C-alpha cells in the first residue's frame, strides 16, 4: 500500500519517533515503569498547556473531553452560553442540551469570528455559569479571539471553556495567564498522535465547580480522575500505548520549543493561503486559524474530483467541507508530522488537479 500523507485537520501524520515509542513492549499500567512515563507526560502536558493546574488524559476522542467539561461543571437547569460558528460550536450546544442545561446560543455566521462585544452583552443579560467557546473552528478555519473572550468571562465570574482541539500548539494559549478555566484538546491534531486520547485542564475555579456539579456522570467523572492524577494514576485502564507515544510527541514539541512551533505554523499557513490565492482559490475566512487553511472551491470545479485526484496521483489526503460546506471548500491541515516543504507539495498537487479538472471540462 502506498503511503498517503495526511494533510487533513485530524487525524494527522504521526512522527516515526512516536510510532517507535508506541511499538515498545507494553508495561502493565499498575507498575512503577508506567507510572514514571505518566509523571513525565503529565509534567510536559502542563508545559504545553502553560498551566500549573492538572491536565487530565482521558481515553476518548476529543468530544469525550468536551462532554466532560459540560457534565463536570454544570447541574441540570444551570445556564450556559455557547458561541457557535461552525460544526464544532454546534456540538457544544448539542452537549449542553443533552445535559438539560438552559442554553443561549450566539449564532455567528460561518466564516466569521465572534464579536467580543456581543459576548459581553450576552453574558450580562443571561448571567450563565459557563460560556463554551471554540478557539480554532475546524469546519471553517476561523480563529476566535480567545484571550479577549476569556477576560470578558473572568470579569463577570463566568467559567470560560475552550475547545482548543485544533487551537493548542498551533496558536498561543497560555491558559493561566489568560485566565481560561477549561482547555480541551485531542490527540489526533497538533499533539501528533493517533486518535484515541483527549485532554482536559481545569483551573481552580473549574475544579471547585466540578466538586459541586450535580449532572450525572460516571466514566467521565473528573472528581475521580483529579484524585488519581495527583498520583500519576487513572481511575480505569488508561490507553497505555498512546500514552507512551504522548510522552515522546511532547518531547518533540518541547525540544523544538513552543515559540518555534508557533512560527512554523504561521509560515505554513501563510504560504498555503498565498499559494492557493495564486491558484485562484479564495480564502474562506478573513480571520484565519494557523492549524489549517480553508479555501473556496472555484466555480466549475468539483471538490471531490480534486480530493480524489490529489490522493490518487500525489498520495496526499486533503479534507473537503462538512455539512453545508460540503463541495464548497477544501481544507488543508498543517498539524502533525508536516513541514513547510509539504505545503509546497500540496500546492503542486492541487495545481495539477485543477489543470486536470479543466481538461476534463473542455474535452
Ligand atoms: C477534531 C475536533 C473535535 C473533536 O473531534 P473528535 O472526533 O471527537 O476527536 C472537536 N473540536 C474541534 C474544533 C476539532 O477540530
Amino acid at each position: 500500500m502506498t503511503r498517503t500523507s495526511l494533510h487533513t485537520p485530524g487525524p494527522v501524520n504521526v512522527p516515526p519517533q512516536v510510532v517507535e515509542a508506541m511499538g515498545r513492549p507494553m508495561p502493565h499500567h499498575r507498575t512503577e515503569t508506567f507510572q514514571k512515563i505518566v509523571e513525565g507526560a503529565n509534567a510536559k502536558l502542563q508545559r504545553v498547556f502553560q498551566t500549573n493546574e492538572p491536565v487530565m488524559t482521558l481515553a476518548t476522542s476529543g468530544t469525550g473531553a468536551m462532554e466532560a467539561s459540560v457534565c463536570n461543571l454544570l447541574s441540570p437547569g444551570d445556564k450556559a452560553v455557547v458561541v457557535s460558528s461552525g460544526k464544532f460550536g454546534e456540538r457544544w450546544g448539542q452537549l449542553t442540551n443533552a445535559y438539560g442545561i438552559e442554553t443561549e446560543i450566539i449564532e455567528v455566521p460561518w466564516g466569521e469570528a465572534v464579536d467580543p462585544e456581543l459576548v459581553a452583552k450576552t453574558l450580562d443579560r443571561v448571567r450563565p455559569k459557563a460560556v463554551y467557546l471554540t478557539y480554532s473552528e475546524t469546519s471553517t478555519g476561523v480563529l476566535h479571539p480567545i484571550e479577549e473572550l476569556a477576560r470578558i468571562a473572568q470579569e463577570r465570574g463566568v467559567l470560560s471553556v475552550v475547545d482548543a482541539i485544533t487551537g493548542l500548539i498551533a496558536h498561543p494559549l497560555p491558559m493561566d495567564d489568560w485566565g481560561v478555566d477549561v482547555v480541551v484538546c485531542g490527540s489526533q491534531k497538533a499533539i501528533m498522535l493517533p486518535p484515541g486520547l483527549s485532554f482536559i485542564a481545569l483551573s481552580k475555579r473549574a475544579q471547585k465547580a466540578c466538586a459541586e456539579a450535580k449532572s450525572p456522570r460516571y466514566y467521565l467523572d473528573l472528581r475521580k480522575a483529579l484524585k488519581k492524577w495527583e498520583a500519576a494514576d487513572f481511575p480505569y485502564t488508561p490507553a497505555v500505548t498512546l500514552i507512551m507515544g504522548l510522552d515522546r510527541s511532547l518531547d518533540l514539541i518541547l525540544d523544538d520549543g513552543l515559540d518555534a512551533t508557533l512560527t512554523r505554523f504561521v509560515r505554513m499557513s501563510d504560504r498555503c493561503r498565498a499559494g492557493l490565492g495564486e491558484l485562484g482559490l479564495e480564502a474562506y475566512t478573513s480571520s484565519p486559524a494557523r492549524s489549517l487553511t480553508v479555501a473556496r472551491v472555484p466555480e466549475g470545479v468539483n471538490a471531490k474530483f480534486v480530493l480524489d485526484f490529489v490522493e490518487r496521483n500525489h498520495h496526499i489526503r486533503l479534507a473537503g467541507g462538512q455539512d453545508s460546506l460540503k463541495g464548497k471548500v477544501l481544507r488543508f491541515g498543517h498539524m502533525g508530522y508536516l513541514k513547510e516543504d509539504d505545503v509546497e507539495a500540496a500546492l503542486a498537487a492541487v495545481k495539477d488537479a485543477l489543470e486536470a479538472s479543466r481538461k476534463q471540462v473542455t474535452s
Side-chain angles (χ1 to χ4, degrees):
M1 196 173 88
T2 314
R3 192 193 157 115
T4 297
S5 181
L6 298 175
H7 289 233
T8 54
V12 299
N13 295 332
V14 176
Q17 301 94 316
V18 175
V19 173
E20 186 274 326
M22 293 190 300
R24 289 179 198 168
M26 190 164 66
H28 188 272
H29 65 286
R30 307 266 184 230
T31 57
E32 218 171 286
T33 312
F34 185 61
Q35 194 187 18
K36 283 271 175 302
I37 296 172
V38 175
E39 275 171 10
N42 283 353
K44 290 167 207 168
L45 277 172
Q46 286 177 303
R47 285 173 62 195
V48 170
F49 279 66
Q50 297 173 64
T51 182
N52 292 319
E53 304 302 331
V55 183
M56 285 160 285
T57 299
L58 312 176
T60 69
S61 82
T63 307
M66 291 174 76
E67 179 154 351
S69 63
V70 173
C71 63
N72 284 285
L73 296 189
L74 304 176
S75 307
D78 276 351
K79 289 183 193 156
V81 167
V82 164
V83 174
S84 173
S85 72
K87 191 180 169 66
F88 294 102
E90 281 174 1
R91 188 167 297 175
W92 276 135
Q94 289 160 0
L95 280 164
T96 55
N97 280 325
Y99 281 92
I101 307 304
E102 224 181 277
T103 305
E104 170 97 8
I105 297 182
I106 301 177
E107 294 278 3
V108 181
W110 285 36
E112 291 177 22
V114 70
D115 173 10
E117 194 62 30
L118 175 61
V119 176
K121 281 190 187 136
T122 309
L123 296 188
D124 286 338
R125 176 169 53 79
V126 177
R127 302 190 157 277
K129 181 147 191 207
V131 59
Y132 288 85
L133 306 163
T134 313
Y135 195 1
S136 151
E137 172 52 75
T138 316
S139 60
T140 61
V142 165
L143 194 75
H144 290 287
I146 290 301
E147 181 177 14
E148 202 174 346
L149 298 175
R151 193 180 58 240
I152 286 167
Q154 193 173 39
E155 282 166 1
R156 288 159 177 80
V158 175
L159 294 167
S160 56
V161 182
V162 178
D163 169 353
I165 296 181
T166 56
L168 198 80
I169 298 169
H171 314 87
L173 183 51
M175 174 176 169
D176 290 357
D177 285 355
W178 287 4
V180 177
D181 288 295
V182 180
V183 174
V184 166
C185 202
S187 58
Q188 80 276 29
K189 312 277 170 121
I191 295 185
M192 307 194 291
L193 287 176
L197 294 182
S198 68
F199 309 95
I200 180 164
L202 300 183
S203 71
K204 292 235 157 46
R205 291 197 304 158
Q207 290 170 49
K208 183 162 176 284
C210 179
E212 293 165 357
K214 299 206 165 45
S215 289
R217 48 196 150 147
Y218 188 85
Y219 185 64
L220 295 175
D221 191 339
L222 296 181
R223 290 170 296 191
K224 284 180 271 185
L226 273 167
K227 203 174 281 169
K228 291 289 190 179
W229 183 88
E230 301 291 339
D233 198 0
F234 301 84
Y236 313 108
T237 312
V240 172
T241 313
L242 290 170
I243 289 170
M244 293 196 296
L246 172 68
D247 189 46
R248 192 74 189 94
S249 70
L250 293 172
D251 278 339
L252 298 177
I253 293 163
L254 291 167
D255 286 351
D256 280 348
L258 294 180
D259 288 340
T261 303
L262 289 176
T263 306
R264 183 164 49 84
F265 276 106
V266 168
R267 288 219 193 97
M268 290 173 79
S269 55
D270 276 350
R271 177 62 197 127
C272 188
R273 194 178 168 89
L276 290 171
E278 287 157 20
L279 296 177
L281 273 69
E282 189 197 337
Y284 181 70
T285 173
S286 54
S287 310
R290 300 301 189 171
S291 47
L292 77 161
T293 298
V294 181
R296 290 180 199 276
V297 177
E299 204 62 47
V301 173
N302 181 315
K304 189 170 180 326
F305 173 85
V306 174
L307 293 172
D308 290 347
F309 185 96
V310 163
E311 176 151 12
R312 195 162 4 96
N313 297 290
H314 294 266
H315 312 295
I316 288 175
R317 183 72 210 168
L318 302 171
Q322 298 162 292
D323 297 348
S324 65
L325 287 182
K326 205 171 164 71
K328 302 209 170 103
V329 297
L330 294 176
R331 296 182 302 147
F332 298 75
H334 307 310
M335 298 168 289
Y337 193 57
L338 288 176
K339 19 181 219 330
E340 287 168 80
D341 286 352
D342 297 304
V343 176
E344 299 304 334
L347 290 168
V350 170
K351 183 165 188 259
D352 196 18
L354 291 174
E355 277 161 13
S357 160
R358 285 193 192 103
K359 261 187 216 139
Q360 220 192 22
V361 172
T362 49
S363 65

